[in-house]
Each structure stands twice: as structure tokens, then as C-alpha cells.
Amino acid sequence: MTKPNLSADPVLHAQKLIQCKSITPIEGGALTYLEDILSKAGFACHRLSFCDNETPDVENLYARIGTQPPHLCFAGHTDVVPPGEERDWTFPPFAGQIELETLYGRGAVDMKGGIAAFLAATLEILQNQEKSNQSFKGSLSFLITGDEEGPAINGTQKLLTWMKSHNEMIDHCLVGEPTNPEYLGDMIKIGRRGSLNGTLSIKGKQGHVAYPDKAQNPVDSLLAVLTAFKAKPLDQGNAHFTPSHLEITSVDVGNPVTNVIPAQAVAKFNIRYNTLHTLESLKNHLRTIASDILAPRNINYNFRFHKPSECFLTEPAAFSDLLVSSIQAVTGKTPELSTSGGTSDARFIKDYCPVIEFGLVNETIHQIDERVPVQDLKALKEIYKTFIEKYFSAHNP
């Protein structure tokens, strides 16, 4: 086991975390590394494992220093996606090697680098306070899961439930996901689009293609419904969100031959939606379209909607303003406030407190040779450090 190192160097901590082979849902030593450091730094640490009957056990870490408000939480994940073919990497994916001032490794950007930067910023602040004989005013915590890249069932959701049951109330949360498209300081995420996955199954009557009058081809009906799904835009977007859109991701009839009309046709689809819709309004919209087309044809069909991710927005306010000013102070850039991209664990945290996201540049996430410039890690640490100081100064004038 790696011994705790209270260095305020984000590069060192990023290397150590990358060297932990923490592919979802395996902990791989990453949470142990953080727990050792944070406990030595004075944090009260809780290692929590959650499970259910259908998904693997997942380990999580909650660590807090201070007992009084305001309570600022940093959220992230140490689990990573598989590296793919390791022989295709320039350097081993779990070596944490630095070459030409660039750190390579799975999780360097998504998101062990972000965790390392926040950890280093926190340690430096605590060390500076100790030198000046100051006490920590407020509470600072780490909410770290091992399940963000997986089913996201036994991670942040259940950790938040545990926190609520133990009266661990958060005032604000910063998620360290990589948010910048090109340069550090480009973008803050103040919300996320919702995601709804669905399956439409249409029943037909199997028969010989030479005698279509004796069969009922479900493919024709499915194509008619899918065409109607795509015929009209769901909306035009709004001030903070791009237009919602439906994408057809799979069409399957399970038919290995060409002379048989299939008995069933199935399509899968995904909707990325904004605050102009709710989950129920979208479901009703799709059901209405399908019914209008299929009911006159006397066609049997079935919708199945899978576990959704809800849309949310944290309205720009003092909290995001503090982060904007911190980014400006370090990089000179004014970040865009955006809701673009996929989902994150912020979708769970938004039910507990205002949440925004900011981390590294996301250009190489999930790729072979995932990497981050060393300078970006150091700059992100300075942004986080400035942000933490500004946050507590604003709440403790």
C-alpha cells in the first residue's frame, strides 16, 4: 500500500492515482490512496460499499473536514473505463508516465487528474492555514465514487442517501469532470441535458415474402413510426440549452434470411432533452405518434423506457460567478456557461444542492493515450485553490 504523501503537487497525486488499476467497479487502491492522505490531513473519512442483486458491489469514499457551514463539496470518481488494447498505447495505461511535460494514463483527464488537482489545492490551503495559525471556517468534503463509468447505481446516488440519513448537508458542490473542449478555462457546466432511452417493439405476422397478403410486415409500420419521430423537431432550444433531439440507435428484426417476412421489428432510440420537456411529456409525445399511425392498422406494439437521466439547470448566480472569477484570475479566460455534453453524477447531486462542473480539457477522454499536459494540472490546482479561498471568504466576510 502506498504511504500517504501530503505533498501539494497535483502531478504526483495524479501519477499515483493513475497507477491504481481502478476499472469499474474495481477499487484498485485509488480510494485507499485518497483515504490515507485525507485522514492524515485531518478529514473524517467514511469508506462505504453498496450493492444490490443485479449490479456489482461498489466502494465509495466520503471525507469531510470541519463541522460548520458553509459546506463545499468536491465530487468525482476514481473508476475508469478499460484501456482497450494496451499494446496500442505509447506508454502503459496504468504507468502514469510523463513524457515531454505530458502525463499519460487511463484516467489522466477523466478524472483522476481533476481529483489530484483538488486534493493538492486542499492540502496547500490547510498547510498555509496551519503555518498562519488559522482555523478552518466552514466544511470541505470529498464525495468520490467508484461507479460513475458503470451503471451508476451503487455509487453517488446511494452515497448521497447515506449522507442525508447522517445529516451531512451540502451547501454547494463542484464536480471535477473534464468540461473544457479545447483549452483549460473554456467552459463550466451549469446543467446537463436529460437522457431518455427507449425501445419500440412492433408485432407482425410472419409469412413468405411471395405472399405478403397472408402476412403482416412489422418493418413497414416500424419505419413509418420512426419517420414520424424524426419528422418534426422536438423544440428550438432555449437560453441555456440546445434543441432536444431524438436519435435512432438500433433497428433489428432478427431475420437471417431474405424470403421470410419477420414476426417482429424492434427499434431502440435515445432522446437528449432540455428543460422544455419532462420525462412524462416526452413519453406521451412518442406514444401519441405511435398510436396515430399503428392503431388504424390494428398493429400490436409495446414501448419500454429504460432508466432515465433527468435534465437540470443550476441558474447562473454567485456560486458560478466565484468559479468564473477564479478561472479568470489564473488563466485570463472567461469561460462559457454550458449545458452541453453527456450525463454525469451531477444529475444526482442537483437534488441536494446547487452543483456546477469544471475540470480538465476533455479531448482525449476514453481514448488510447489519454493524457494531460503537466501545466494544465498545475493550473487547475491553482484555479481550485483560488475558488476554495474565494468561496469561504465570501461566506465568512
Side-chain angles (χ1 to χ4, degrees):
M1 183 176 68
T2 306
K3 291 183 179 181
N5 188 323
L6 300 188
S7 166
D9 179 7
V11 181
L12 179 142
H13 294 302
Q15 285 181 290
K16 295 297 185 183
L17 288 170
I18 289 170
Q19 290 163 5
C20 298
K21 197 172 182 179
S22 52
I23 301 171
T24 316
I26 299 168
E27 186 270 331
L31 294 178
T32 298
Y33 180 78
L34 292 174
E35 182 181 13
D36 288 345
I37 293 172
L38 290 170
S39 60
K40 191 170 183 180
F43 282 74
C45 295
H46 304 270
R47 278 284 284 277
L48 300 154
S49 181
F50 302 111
C51 64
D52 59 25
N53 294 328
E54 298 181 358
T55 54
D57 293 9
V58 173
E59 291 191 60
N60 305 274
L61 173 65
Y62 174 66
R64 176 174 176 173
I65 191 167
T67 58
Q68 301 299 316
H71 181 179
L72 173 64
C73 178
F74 175 83
H77 63 93
T78 52
D79 64 313
V80 298
V81 298
E85 290 291 342
E86 296 196 19
R87 65 174 177 269
D88 293 337
W89 285 68
T90 303
F91 306 104
F94 298 103
Q97 187 162 336
I98 295 174
E99 182 73 14
L100 299 176
E101 290 299 301
T102 299
L103 173 62
Y104 288 76
R106 176 58 82 226
V109 178
D110 189 14
M111 58 164 289
K112 291 178 176 181
I115 294 173
F118 200 90
L119 175 64
T122 299
L123 293 173
E124 184 167 312
I125 289 171
L126 293 176
Q127 290 162 8
N128 289 342
Q129 287 181 340
E130 185 177 359
K131 290 177 184 177
S132 59
N133 199 29
Q134 294 178 339
S135 59
F136 195 84
K137 295 181 179 179
S139 299
L140 187 63
S141 66
F142 286 73
L143 188 164
I144 310 296
T145 183
D147 190 33
E148 197 274 346
E149 299 288 8
I153 292 173
N154 295 321
T156 296
Q157 284 191 90
K158 291 185 177 179
L159 186 52
L160 287 165
T161 300
W162 176 91
M163 289 168 61
K164 185 176 181 179
S165 70
H166 287 74
N167 203 32
E168 291 286 336
M169 308 305 293
I170 306 170
D171 292 306
H172 296 90
C173 184
L174 173 65
V175 178
E177 287 284 0
T179 56
N180 299 284
E182 295 184 26
Y183 302 100
L184 188 68
D186 276 351
M187 185 176 289
I188 296 170
K189 297 293 176 70
I190 59 169
R192 293 279 185 165
R193 296 175 297 174
S195 177
L196 176 63
N197 290 303
T199 301
L200 173 61
S201 303
I202 294 182
K203 296 288 186 180
K205 181 180 178 182
Q206 184 174 312
H208 197 293
V209 294
Y211 306 98
D213 55 311
K214 296 182 179 180
Q216 188 178 56
N217 196 332
V219 177
D220 297 338
S221 295
L222 181 63
L223 292 178
V225 174
L226 296 181
T227 299
F229 281 175
K230 299 284 289 184
K232 184 179 178 181
L234 290 167
D235 58 67
Q236 299 301 317
N238 59 23
H240 294 294
F241 288 88
T242 57
S244 304
H245 63 94
L246 181 149
E247 296 299 328
I248 300 161
T249 57
S250 174
V251 177
D252 186 27
V253 297
N255 189 1
V257 297
T258 59
N259 60 348
V260 175
I261 292 173
Q264 178 176 268
V266 179
K268 296 180 180 180
F269 56 88
N270 175 268
I271 300 177
R272 294 300 166 110
Y273 67 95
N274 57 38
T275 49
L276 297 173
H277 305 273
T278 66
L279 289 169
E280 287 308 310
S281 72
L282 286 171
K283 292 177 184 179
N284 290 335
H285 172 71
L286 298 175
R287 290 183 179 120
T288 298
I289 292 175
S291 177
D292 288 347
I293 294 172
L294 300 177
R297 303 184 185 193
N298 197 28
I299 297 290
N300 292 320
Y301 65 96
N302 178 58
F303 276 106
R304 285 188 296 114
F305 294 102
H306 313 288
K307 187 176 177 64
S309 299
E310 293 185 3
C311 179
F312 75 94
L313 174 70
T314 300
E315 290 283 355
F319 184 46
S320 54
D321 289 346
L322 287 175
L323 184 53
V324 169
S325 64
S326 300
I327 293 168
Q328 290 172 330
V330 176
T331 69
K333 294 180 178 293
T334 299
E336 175 187 354
L337 302 182
S338 173
T339 59
S340 62
T343 60
S344 75
D345 277 0
R347 69 188 189 273
F348 306 126
I349 299 168
K350 53 88 177 171
D351 293 328
Y352 293 80
C353 69
V355 56
I356 55 179
E357 303 175 59
F358 181 74
L360 293 163
V361 177
N362 58 26
E363 182 179 2
T364 64
I365 60 172
H366 293 200
Q367 295 183 14
I368 299 295
D369 280 350
E370 181 179 350
R371 59 197 180 273
V372 58
V374 166
Q375 186 55 44
D376 277 8
L377 282 173
K378 293 178 178 179
L380 182 60
K381 172 208 165 179
E382 292 303 317
I383 291 171
Y384 284 158
K385 177 174 174 285
T386 303
F387 174 66
I388 295 169
E389 292 172 338
K390 283 178 176 286
Y391 179 86
F392 288 106
S393 293
H395 289 82
N396 294 289

